[in-house]
Amino acid sequence: MPNKRSWAEPWKIKMVEPIKMTTKEERLTAIKEAGYNTFLLKSEDVYIDLLTDSGTNAMSDRQWAGLMLGDEAYAGSRNFYHLAETVMEYYTYKNLVPTHQGRAAEHILSTIMIKDGDFVPGNMYFTTTRLHQELAGGTFVDVIVDEAHDTESEHPFKGNVDLIKMQNLIDEVGADKIPYVCIATSVNMAGGQPIALQNLKDLRALCDSYDIPIVHDMTRVAENAYFIQQREEEYRNKTVREIVHEICSLTDHATMSSKKDALVNIGGFLATNDEDVFMKAKNMVVMYEGLHTYGGMSGRDMEAVAIGIKESVSDNHMASRVGQVQYLGNKLIEYGIPIVMPIGSHGVFLDAKKFLPHLSQDMLPSQTLASEIYIENGVRTMERGVVSAGRNKETGEHYFPKLELVRITIPRRVYTQAHMDVVAESIAAVYERRNEIKGLKFVYEPEYLRFFQARFSPITN
Ligand code: F0G
């Protein structure tokens, strides 16, 4: 009898979507036309699409059935009430404002809460989150632990807040200049790294003594909860659902991109326990999204989110979701490929500085590596380095982040382990020829969130 017991997906496949394999010549043409930016590739030209885990999930038969229960009333749709009840029951927040996706909630919350000249601490930046903080007049301050910026550190909770950095900021600028601290669960830009519940409790105590609210970017809260169950002694016997509940209960407001954890293709919301913020958000959502009982979503889509939230906190779902990511990460480790450790919850992050040490950061190593991985075998990944980091709004200079990464992001319930084998082998093939790889340079740079639409060309010589 084997003493190891494997996980397996708690579902079977009912419908399949064919994907296309291409030749190397076709891929070379496609990536050139896309300006060497994987965001600009046509999905049809992609074989295995690991660009993002956002909106790329496979819905369950329950969710598809839920679509048929869509109540498309302009006002007061029954699906809105189902979603609001679900958010309260699973995530604790009393008031719900639906939005079409996460960044719309960030826009509304940032505009309501941030004043010109404010400082907004957070456990590492996220692209859209920081942009909305800046557009509202705030300055983002990174208060994540130093280990988060070190790809080799095996710290189990690299999403933790460094409470000394937080205290220093309070001492320096004063609590009245800090409208809130933004805490992401399963920190995306750090490589899908969790925050510990103990750290969140300590942060809560610190914030309480200065009356600073906590905003929860809860995009991947269930994945974070799974890591807490696996790594934080006190929570070993708690369910993911219970841990999610406890995380949320320690925070005041939340922004959510339902396109991740909640297992749907579109959707998001702002949730809050504060009546004043709720009233303002309800008023603002009608300007930008739609009436406060649909906020840019259809009734059927709100129903799918409500069902997806319930599915997302299942322990078996999480074991296979995160298990698949770990499987791919461990394959890459076997090939000696440098990745961010520990392996994250939603993807494996290649360390492009170590993968392509001959390219300096201004030769855009992560952007280059993502395009080479596509050329190799049609696998689409994403840059998460200097291009994503953008420019400092004051000086106009590039931000040069310590982390120069390529994200291999795994959609939920979409690909099999055989796909993961192919991905690992393709990246290993790129690793073999890494010394021949030259960098890229910008040829077009949009003003906002440049990584989405920028175009590049190869550096020759
Ligand atoms: N916060 C985090 C941590 C995210 O990962 C995202 C989106 C958002 C907020 C914004 O949500 O896309 O629904 O507007 N992340 C996607 C990604 C784009 O690929 O990581 P959105």
Side-chain angles (χ1 to χ4, degrees), residues 180-219:
Y180 61 83
V181 49
C182 179
I183 295 307
T185 32
S186 197
V187 181
N188 191 354
M189 300 303 276
Q193 304 292 331
I195 176 169
L197 251 171
Q198 189 54 54
N199 183 254
L200 187 56
K201 287 182 196 163
D202 295 343
L203 177 71
R204 178 81 257 178
L206 178 66
C207 287
D208 280 348
S209 58
Y210 291 96
D211 230 3
I212 298 173
I214 301 179
V215 170
H216 179 198
D217 177 348
M218 61 178 302
T219 297

Side-chain angles (χ1 to χ4, degrees), residues 116-351:
D116 220 15
D118 278 351
F119 294 86
V120 189
N123 55 347
M124 201 171 269
Y125 85 100
F126 183 71
T127 53
T128 58
T129 319
R130 184 180 65 194
L131 177 65
H132 282 297
Q133 292 165 356
E134 288 176 352
L135 290 172
T139 300
F140 166 79
V141 183
D142 193 356
V143 293
I144 204 165
V145 291
D146 285 340
E147 286 87 345
H149 295 281
D150 173 2
T151 58
E152 277 173 24
S153 161
E154 299 261 1
H155 193 298
F157 291 104
K158 286 166 106 174
N160 278 358
V161 171
D162 183 332
L163 297 167
I164 296 171
K165 287 185 192 170
M166 184 70 199
Q167 181 71 58
N168 287 346
L169 179 71
I170 297 170
D171 295 344
E172 216 173 287
V173 305
D176 57 337
K177 284 263 173 245
I178 303 176
Y180 61 83
V181 49
C182 179
I183 295 307
T185 32
S186 197
V187 181
N188 191 354
M189 300 303 276
Q193 304 292 331
I195 176 169
L197 251 171
Q198 189 54 54
N199 183 254
L200 187 56
K201 287 182 196 163
D202 295 343
L203 177 71
R204 178 81 257 178
L206 178 66
C207 287
D208 280 348
S209 58
Y210 291 96
D211 230 3
I212 298 173
I214 301 179
V215 170
H216 179 198
D217 177 348
M218 61 178 302
T219 297
R220 297 179 182 84
V221 64
E223 293 178 4
N224 194 119
Y226 179 72
F227 279 141
I228 288 174
Q229 185 193 59
Q230 300 300 306
R231 297 178 189 169
E232 215 170 338
E233 191 55 42
E234 206 188 321
Y235 291 91
R236 185 159 294 172
N237 297 318
K238 297 260 195 236
T239 62
V240 168
R241 180 177 169 178
E242 288 165 338
I243 299 169
V244 165
H245 199 272
E246 186 165 347
I247 294 172
C248 295
S249 73
L250 289 163
T251 65
D252 304 289
H253 319 275
T255 56
M256 173 65 159
S257 170
S258 308
K259 302 170 73 174
K260 285 81 165 172
D261 250 9
L263 296 162
V264 293
N265 305 118
I266 192 71
F269 58 76
L270 188 166
T272 177
N273 294 328
D274 182 309
E275 296 299 326
D276 182 47
V277 170
F278 180 46
M279 292 311 285
K280 288 180 178 151
K282 264 206 294 194
N283 193 215
M284 206 175 145
V285 78
V286 294
M287 271 192 287
Y288 293 102
E289 295 283 297
L291 194 73
H292 57 277
T293 57
Y294 76 88
M297 294 190 72
S298 59
R300 56 179 172 269
D301 284 329
M302 289 190 282
E303 189 62 24
V305 174
I307 298 168
I309 289 171
K310 297 175 197 185
E311 293 179 0
S312 76
V313 298
S314 137
D315 284 24
N316 288 337
H317 162 64
M318 266 308 148
S320 77
R321 160 32 169 191
V322 177
Q324 187 178 43
V325 177
Q326 308 289 309
Y327 176 84
L328 173 63
N330 285 320
K331 285 245 147 193
L332 293 172
I333 292 171
E334 279 170 33
Y335 286 116
I337 294 168
I339 65 170
V340 175
M341 295 301 291
I343 299 163
S345 71
H346 65 306
V348 181
F349 290 67
L350 302 175
D351 184 341

Side-chain angles (χ1 to χ4, degrees), residues 3-172:
N3 50 19
K4 171 173 178 272
R5 289 301 178 94
S6 298
W7 54 268
E9 289 80 3
W11 39 259
K12 56 186 178 176
I13 296 166
K14 182 152 21 197
M15 190 189 282
V16 297
E17 177 183 344
I19 48 181
K20 197 173 87 181
M21 293 170 86
T22 48
T23 63
K24 187 158 189 181
E25 284 64 42
E26 286 169 334
R27 292 192 294 276
L28 280 167
T29 308
I31 195 76
K32 193 170 176 203
E33 276 173 13
Y36 298 87
N37 185 346
T38 53
F39 278 102
L40 300 179
L41 286 166
K42 291 184 185 140
S43 143
E44 273 215 325
D45 294 331
V46 173
Y47 172 37
I48 300 175
D49 201 348
L50 308 182
L51 182 72
T52 175
D53 63 330
S54 180
T56 51
N57 305 301
M59 294 207 295
S60 67
D61 54 357
R62 278 31 173 203
Q63 287 175 293
W64 281 103
L67 295 186
M68 297 306 291
L69 302 176
D71 169 6
E72 306 307 338
Y74 187 88
S77 159
R78 93 169 86 85
N79 313 110
F80 164 76
Y81 295 104
H82 181 200
L83 180 58
E85 279 160 25
T86 307
V87 166
M88 175 119 83
E89 184 182 344
Y90 286 75
Y91 298 153
T92 73
Y93 304 110
K94 293 194 198 103
N95 304 299
L96 175 76
V97 179
T99 58
H100 78 281
Q101 62 183 84
R103 69 198 70 181
E106 292 169 350
H107 170 218
I108 293 172
L109 194 76
S110 304
T111 308
I112 293 172
M113 295 189 69
I114 299 172
K115 291 186 307 302
D116 220 15
D118 278 351
F119 294 86
V120 189
N123 55 347
M124 201 171 269
Y125 85 100
F126 183 71
T127 53
T128 58
T129 319
R130 184 180 65 194
L131 177 65
H132 282 297
Q133 292 165 356
E134 288 176 352
L135 290 172
T139 300
F140 166 79
V141 183
D142 193 356
V143 293
I144 204 165
V145 291
D146 285 340
E147 286 87 345
H149 295 281
D150 173 2
T151 58
E152 277 173 24
S153 161
E154 299 261 1
H155 193 298
F157 291 104
K158 286 166 106 174
N160 278 358
V161 171
D162 183 332
L163 297 167
I164 296 171
K165 287 185 192 170
M166 184 70 199
Q167 181 71 58
N168 287 346
L169 179 71
I170 297 170
D171 295 344
E172 216 173 287

